[in-house]
Amino acid sequence: MTTTLLTNIGELTTNVAADGDPCGTLHDAAVLIEGDRIAWVGGAAAAPTGDTTLDAGGHAVIPGFVDSHTHLVFAGDRAPEFAARMAGQPYAAGGIRTTVAATRAASDDELRANLTRLTAELHRQGTTTFEVKTGYGLTVADEERLARIAAEVTPEVTLLGAHVVPAEYADDRAAYVDLVCGEMLDACAPHSRWIDVFCETGAFTAAESRRILTAGIARGLRPRVHGNQLGFGEGVRLAVDLGACSVDHCTYLSDDDVTALATSDTVATLLPGVEFSTRQPYPDARRLLDAGVTVALASDCNPGSSFTSSMPLMVALAVREMGMTVDEAVWAATAGGARALRRDDVGVVAAGARADLVLLDAPTRVHLAYRPGVPLVSAVVKDGVRL
């Protein structure tokens, strides 16, 4: 099997904690890649030889970003909605229905082309692992095709039929919940690993959310929750109670919510691109970290509330607006995302892990926050192949 030695790494973020450093930083380091896996990590002076060599030029290398929350399969554009928000109109969950209409009208080829474009965009910015949700079809046939198309680019597919109640069920919410729990779940489960629900005012109640998640769990899907985005609510406690792998947004948290997260295995996934795009308050990451909660960062790339695929931007926002140190933010955007997806083969640079690496045109990971908006990703290696 062909091997590649990535050498002359000035600063390597391994995320293998050592000596109180959660980023497991190595200097003057090298990584040996064999096939699609990492075979060896250590000091450059002790590195084995490889069949080929990739020179990092003395710059920083980090694990590929793990974006554990995206909505990439859709059609249409909501730029006017963004402009209206910037002019003072408040954000509400109902804008999702605009994308639903456009997505239903699009062909599979049109959806696939947009997904391919966005996937390439993620890769260029250093994201090597990502989750994709359905949720813009809201019929059995449309949710099934969104899940099927998403599965062409990632194994991390989430059924989000419970995104909002579609207009045709506005007068019979119970019938729509029945549909999601029955025929829709039957159609989408073969393409999905996860089930999610938007437990929020304007979307689904805690009781409806519990029923939907429980149905998904019974079909072998693992639960995730959109919760506590627009106000205080029951999303976090529902997620913890059901053993959800992640509860995402976490903008409005009570002390009891924080305690519940800190005493559970549920990851709090923060989505600062949403607050940037909606002018809502940013989540208090410092409060969560100080309580011992595991925190991930994700983009929530979607056409409405966060139309950005940039994980470097998420790092910069988390440091500037949410009280995180650079090391905490980089860990959350890599190893934290892996925790949210219950993956131990990504988000780290260690022997046996997938060979997903990002070379930065910078001497240190600090530049991800220090130089916001600058395209610092100079090369991306995914599954051992330079993209």
Side-chain angles (χ1 to χ4, degrees):
M1 188 177 292
T2 302
T3 59
T4 299
L5 183 67
L6 175 58
T7 190
N8 195 18
I9 303 171
E11 176 192 89
L12 175 63
T13 300
T14 69
N15 285 339
V16 179
D19 300 323
D21 172 16
C23 287
T25 309
L26 298 179
H27 296 280
D28 191 18
V31 176
L32 183 68
I33 299 168
E34 185 174 6
D36 63 358
R37 299 282 171 164
I38 294 170
W40 179 92
V41 180
T49 58
D51 298 317
T52 61
T53 299
L54 178 58
D55 191 337
H59 289 165
V61 172
I62 64 172
F65 291 115
V66 181
D67 192 346
S68 61
H69 185 132
T70 79
H71 305 251
L72 300 182
V73 190
F74 65 87
D77 181 87
R78 285 160 65 184
E81 178 187 319
F82 174 81
R85 283 202 303 273
M86 296 304 101
Q89 182 174 311
Y91 172 72
I96 293 166
R97 295 185 179 91
T98 302
T99 301
V100 170
T103 302
R104 288 178 177 180
S107 69
D108 284 11
D109 286 345
E110 289 170 331
L111 294 175
R112 189 173 287 111
N114 194 45
L115 175 61
T116 298
R117 177 181 64 83
L118 290 172
T119 298
E121 188 176 283
L122 266 71
H123 286 161
R124 286 196 302 271
Q125 297 175 93
T127 297
T128 52
T129 301
F130 54 93
E131 176 259 20
V132 177
K133 302 180 191 296
T134 70
Y136 290 130
L138 308 187
T139 68
V140 172
D142 284 306
E143 287 295 291
E144 187 276 337
R145 70 178 181 135
L146 266 57
R148 173 169 38 82
I149 291 170
E152 296 173 4
V153 299
T154 180
E156 306 297 344
V157 177
T158 301
L159 170 58
L160 183 60
H163 205 178
V164 293
V165 175
E168 61 267 29
Y169 283 91
D171 296 326
D172 196 353
R173 297 176 59 89
Y176 186 68
V177 172
D178 288 344
L179 184 73
V180 175
C181 293
E183 190 178 351
M184 186 180 292
L185 183 56
D186 290 341
C188 297
H191 309 296
S192 306
R193 184 181 179 207
W194 306 94
I195 187 161
D196 198 348
V197 62
F198 192 9
C199 181
E200 196 74 60
T201 300
F204 292 85
T205 68
E208 292 167 339
S209 299
R210 179 180 293 274
R211 185 178 167 213
I212 291 163
L213 294 171
T214 300
I217 293 167
R219 285 297 306 272
L221 303 185
R222 304 194 71 177
R224 320 182 70 77
V225 176
H226 282 60
N228 298 64
Q229 175 189 359
L230 304 178
F232 294 98
E234 299 180 61
V236 165
R237 279 161 286 174
L238 175 65
V240 171
D241 187 46
L242 292 179
C245 297
S246 178
V247 57
D248 301 16
H249 288 292
C250 296
T251 309
Y252 294 90
L253 300 178
S254 68
D255 289 343
D256 287 345
D257 292 331
V258 175
T259 299
L261 286 167
T263 55
S264 75
D265 292 327
T266 300
V267 174
T269 299
L270 308 183
L271 311 170
V274 173
E275 283 72 40
F276 180 86
S277 181
T278 64
R279 288 182 170 164
Q280 289 183 276
Y282 285 90
D284 187 348
R286 182 81 269 139
R287 179 187 180 199
L288 290 165
L289 290 164
D290 288 348
V293 177
T294 300
V295 172
L297 291 173
S299 71
D300 195 6
C301 183
N302 76 83
S305 61
S306 182
F307 200 12
T308 175
S309 56
S310 175
M311 288 296 282
L313 176 61
M314 300 308 106
V315 169
L317 290 174
V319 172
R320 173 64 179 83
E321 303 289 351
M322 291 160 49
M324 299 182 85
T325 67
V326 173
D327 285 2
E328 288 167 341
V330 172
W331 189 95
T334 52
R339 294 275 184 94
L341 293 175
R342 294 300 189 260
R343 296 278 296 271
D344 58 12
D345 62 334
V346 296
V348 296
V349 181
R354 303 200 73 84
D356 294 349
L357 300 157
V358 172
L359 285 66
L360 301 178
D361 186 13
T364 170
R365 58 182 173 260
V366 175
H367 281 232
L368 289 166
Y370 177 46
R371 304 197 70 206
V374 176
L376 296 178
V377 174
S378 61
V380 178
V381 176
K382 176 173 170 54
D383 295 329
V385 177
R386 184 170 178 175
L387 300 180

